[in-house]
Amino acid sequence: PPADQPAAALGPRTLVRLGAAGAALLLIGSLGAGAMPGYDVIAHVPVLSAFRSGSLGLRAAMALAYAGLALMVGSWLLLGRALYAPQPGQPITVALLRRAALAWSIPLALCAPLFSRDLYSYAAQAQIAHAGLNPYQATPADLPGRFLDEVAWRWVDSPAPYGPLWLMLGKVAAAIAGDGVMRTVLAVRLLCIIGVALVVWLLPRLAALTGGRPEAALWLGALNPLVLVHLIAGGHNDALMLGLGVAGLALAAMADGRARGLDSARLAGGAAIIAMAIAVKSPAAVMLAFAPLIWLQRRGQLRDLRQWIVASALALGSATAAFAAVTAISGMGLGWIKQVNSSIPVVNWLSLPTS
């Protein structure tokens, strides 16, 4: 049969619904296979408690979770096939992909933490900051109680390796959520959802400004299950880092060469936003190198060495000032820089970069 026949038979809207069904299966499976807190609420709920009792319940929950993940991956791959080999009357548009991202993300936002307990570490660090301690000096072990009980053993004695903006936002989340573990976890996960929302909103715009296909960028960079499951269901703070980084690059890409002062402000503003991403997690520093390049490309000055120097200096100066400001406001200092390389390494040989 023709290579594009399966995608044509199902149709884009059907694939979106199948992906949403897969996310719903992940939600149900997470009730048994997810990282539940010590006080297990699900264990006291009729019917759902079956997922938390005995090996049979756990296996059933894991089967549902992996079936849901497989359904999401299959739907995403077929959407990609339909994107690159479109059928008459079945276009893959940015609007359709954004609706898919929303439909797939809602169940994941309600999941128990999946494939990681990092959300509990974030919640503990947020409570440390809320208690008036410095998370770069204090560890979860210094604040005994229900939050410490949920932290994975390898991070119990580790200070926070994250930037001051992340810890300030976590402190606000802890103040709003109070002393409830799951309330704090959900509040911190909301920060991750905001990051993913920024990517979904701005990545197509960035692609269009730099000569790419907005639909392809959204499909590959935001809708794929690795991003959604890892950053929302897993609740990793890389989500906010990426969202702010994409926002900074998109602002720099809005330069058009017609208004020199406005263009310079866009580059400086974009670099400052990327500095906020660095103040969440250090790998965002790589993004800062691309802001001047995108800005120069948009202005048609990519081969002008003098403009390279000027643009790089402007971006670096703006980012440094913004980072210094957020560090001063936090009052936590630069202790996180030392912690970036002192954390306990996690070596997983299934990771190709690690290998």
Side-chain angles (χ1 to χ4, degrees):
D4 56 357
Q5 183 172 326
L10 291 175
R13 289 181 175 82
T14 301
L15 293 173
V16 170
R17 296 188 190 101
L18 286 175
L25 287 178
L26 266 174
L27 168 58
I28 299 171
S30 76
L31 301 179
M36 299 298 291
Y39 176 71
D40 195 343
V41 179
I42 300 300
H44 305 283
V45 178
V47 181
L48 296 181
S49 60
F51 289 126
R52 309 297 296 179
S53 57
S55 61
L56 181 60
L58 175 59
R59 289 174 182 173
M62 291 184 68
L64 286 173
Y66 280 112
L69 189 59
L71 194 54
M72 287 186 70
V73 171
S75 301
W76 174 72
L77 288 173
L78 289 176
L79 276 173
R81 174 181 285 181
L83 172 65
Y84 285 99
Q87 299 300 307
Q90 297 182 350
I92 304 296
T93 64
V94 168
L96 175 74
L97 294 176
R98 281 176 172 159
R99 288 196 296 270
L102 177 62
W104 297 8
S105 297
I106 289 174
L108 299 179
L110 302 174
C111 282
L114 278 173
F115 310 116
S116 170
R117 297 189 68 89
D118 280 5
L119 270 171
Y120 295 111
S121 295
Y122 300 155
Q125 292 161 2
Q127 290 293 332
I128 289 172
H130 182 52
L133 302 175
N134 189 332
Y136 300 143
Q137 299 171 357
T139 71
D142 295 319
L143 199 66
R146 63 179 70 182
F147 286 89
L148 173 61
D149 295 341
E150 307 301 339
V151 177
W153 64 267
R154 71 169 66 239
W155 311 124
V156 164
D157 295 310
S158 297
Y162 308 117
L165 178 60
W166 173 255
L167 294 177
M168 283 197 298
L169 293 173
K171 182 177 180 180
V172 173
I176 295 173
D179 60 354
V181 173
M182 289 309 296
R183 289 197 304 271
T184 307
V185 163
L186 291 174
V188 172
R189 176 182 269 168
L190 180 60
L191 298 173
C192 302
I193 294 171
I194 292 171
V196 173
L198 285 172
V199 175
V200 171
W201 174 37
L202 293 172
L203 190 58
R205 174 71 169 162
L206 176 59
L209 289 171
T210 52
R213 289 186 62 186
E215 302 86 356
L218 184 54
W219 171 76
L220 180 62
L223 188 63
N224 80 71
L226 177 62
V227 169
L228 296 180
V229 175
H230 181 66
L231 298 185
I232 296 180
H236 293 276
N237 58 4
D238 306 72
L240 187 59
M241 175 193 75
L242 291 170
L244 290 171
V246 169
L249 292 176
L251 181 56
M254 290 179 185
D256 56 16
R258 291 178 293 182
R260 182 174 180 179
L262 181 58
D263 281 354
S264 297
R266 285 166 172 161
L267 176 58
I273 296 173
I274 295 174
M276 297 301 100
I278 299 171
V280 171
K281 205 167 183 179
S282 58
V286 174
M287 295 183 178
L288 186 61
F290 288 90
L293 301 181
I294 291 173
W295 186 81
L296 288 167
Q297 180 193 43
R298 290 285 296 166
R299 289 172 56 88
Q301 298 174 328
L302 200 54
R303 297 180 182 274
D304 189 328
L305 178 60
R306 178 178 174 276
Q307 290 300 322
W308 266 61
I309 296 172
V310 171
S312 298
L314 177 59
L316 184 60
S318 177
T320 301
F323 188 85
V326 74
T327 300
I329 293 170
S330 74
M332 299 176 188
L334 295 172
W336 69 286
I337 296 177
K338 180 177 69 173
Q339 301 305 327
V340 168
N341 292 323
S342 65
S343 298
I344 300 173
V346 179
V347 179
N348 185 337
W349 294 107
L350 295 177
S351 163
L352 291 180
T354 300
S355 301

